[in-house]
Amino acid sequence: MAVDMKGKDLVSIYDLSSEEVWQIIRTSELMKLRQKAGLAERPLNGKTLAMIFHKPSTRTRVSFEVGMWQLGGTALYLSASDLQLRRGETIADTARTLSRYVDGIMIRTYAHEDVVELARWADVPVINGLTDYLHPCQALTDIFTIYEKRGRLQGVKLVYVGDGNNMANALLHAGAKVGMDVVVATPAGHEPDARVLDEARTDARRTGASISVLNDPREAVRGADVIYTDVWASMGQEAEEAERRRLFRPFQVNRELLEAAGRTDVLFMHCLPAHRGDEVTDEVVDGPHSVVFDQAENRLHVQKAILALVM
Ligand code: CP
Ligand code: NVA
């Protein structure tokens, strides 16, 4: 049965029920089918999405903007440095002002608490387009992509290798909602957030998911359906890049690590942008197991589903 998600924020996947996550997946499937069939639908006719960016973006910006147009609405790109936010206007005042003009707000920023604050004060749905803590739109897209490739999610083994960052956190939340077997392998001291792990384990008890954290990438990938990685230095961590490159080297996804999965049908995933030669080799990212551009495409379909459901 359909769940009514009108007016809902998407700040963290943990805030969604499993039914809502499945509704997003099913709606994404429909959005994609209809777009491929050339069927135009305009459920957001006359509606506007404000998009606030404190960090750069290729996929998030373009997929949200094009998605809004395809749904019949408009998207406004707002660079945070051009808003009065930069001169000290509060998030609460910004939220209340924007709510008088637009029908939804998407924001990409540093501190996760800023998105929570924006959602608290906005009268329109707020969508998290990445914080230092979470990247929910990407993780929802990723489980949709896995569902397309495997035909199921329950029991599918997703192994995330590398930094326990916003991507690792969001994938733990997403996998736990739909019964996946999520394994994260990081260097000691770079494990995913403890609260996210608690939340994922809480959902896992209900959905039959399993959640584990290891420090050995080869052991982690054994039997993997999917090997996922992301950059070793996220946006905002540029100063640590050289040190991280040394520390994370054993966690590079290369041919040897892919083979350690022991499966010919293992998928390689990356949210992009990739730092080729660091967390992944060219051979893997351009190789036959890689589905990275399907992920990138699916950002469009999944976010159209989210927009149409909440706005
Ligand atoms: N994966 C992702 O969010 O890409 P962008 O930083 O290009 O938006
Ligand atoms: N972890 C990366 C993801 C980019 C889409 C970052 O935050 O820079």
Side-chain angles (χ1 to χ4, degrees), residues 56-61 108 135 138 235 271-273 299:
S57 168
T58 298
R59 282 144 288 268
T60 304
R61 181 195 171 165
R108 163 169 289 196
H135 197 358
Q138 181 69 53
M235 290 181 273
C271 57
L272 302 179
R299 289 292 298 278

Side-chain angles (χ1 to χ4, degrees), residues 20-271:
E20 287 170 332
V21 171
W22 274 108
Q23 174 148 284
I24 292 169
I25 293 173
R26 281 193 305 271
T27 311
S28 305
E29 234 177 344
L30 278 178
M31 287 287 175
K32 187 166 182 174
L33 274 171
R34 287 181 187 149
Q35 196 220 15
K36 301 284 177 196
L39 298 172
E41 267 183 303
R42 305 174 70 82
L44 299 185
N45 207 3
K47 296 205 172 173
T48 305
L49 177 74
M51 310 190 298
I52 304 174
F53 282 92
H54 288 260
K55 290 176 175 174
S57 168
T58 298
R59 282 144 288 268
T60 304
R61 181 195 171 165
V62 178
S63 55
F64 267 105
E65 196 159 332
V66 170
M68 277 303 292
W69 296 338
Q70 290 183 1
L71 294 169
T74 307
L76 283 180
Y77 173 81
L78 304 171
S79 162
S81 59
D82 296 334
L83 293 172
Q84 294 288 7
L85 264 176
R86 184 175 64 92
R87 296 182 53 251
E89 185 167 22
T90 66
I91 292 173
D93 289 352
T94 306
R96 286 177 289 184
T97 304
L98 288 178
S99 298
R100 300 292 177 107
Y101 304 129
V102 303
D103 306 282
I105 304 171
M106 193 278 290
I107 178 165
R108 163 169 289 196
T109 191
Y110 293 88
H112 188 73
E113 299 67 43
D114 289 353
V115 181
V116 173
E117 173 81 352
L118 189 77
R120 180 169 163 234
W121 289 99
D123 300 319
V124 296
V126 168
I127 299 172
N128 178 355
L130 179 145
T131 63
D132 292 345
Y133 185 53
L134 295 173
H135 197 358
C137 294
Q138 181 69 53
L140 288 167
T141 299
D142 297 332
I143 61 170
F144 170 68
T145 306
I146 296 167
Y147 182 67
E148 272 190 316
K149 304 286 175 193
R150 284 286 188 266
R152 66 188 173 96
L153 290 171
Q154 188 77 41
V156 171
K157 180 170 178 176
L158 165 67
V159 183
Y160 176 95
V161 179
D163 186 21
N165 60 14
N166 45 8
M167 230 20 274
N169 289 340
L171 287 167
L172 281 161
H173 274 161
K177 289 285 176 195
V178 295
M180 294 177 75
D181 182 3
V182 187
V183 181
V184 178
T186 72
H190 291 271
E191 289 86 359
D193 183 80
R195 179 169 147 196
V196 168
L197 284 169
D198 269 356
E199 291 171 344
R201 288 188 172 121
T202 301
D203 275 334
R205 280 192 284 277
R206 197 174 38 78
T207 64
S210 76
I211 304 295
S212 25
V213 181
L214 307 174
N215 301 117
D216 178 349
R218 287 184 69 84
E219 182 192 340
V221 300
R222 210 170 298 137
D225 287 277
V226 180
I227 298 178
Y228 197 118
T229 193
D230 182 18
V231 292
W232 293 336
S234 285
M235 290 181 273
Q237 297 176 327
E238 288 76 9
E240 296 169 33
E241 219 167 280
E243 187 193 324
R244 283 172 168 264
R245 190 168 283 132
R246 274 192 301 278
L247 179 68
F248 284 85
R249 181 59 68 193
F251 291 80
Q252 183 186 67
V253 181
N254 48 35
R255 178 147 51 106
E256 291 69 48
L257 194 67
L258 216 59
E259 283 171 3
R263 293 180 58 157
T264 51
D265 62 349
V266 63
L267 300 176
F268 170 72
M269 297 180 82
H270 191 310
C271 57

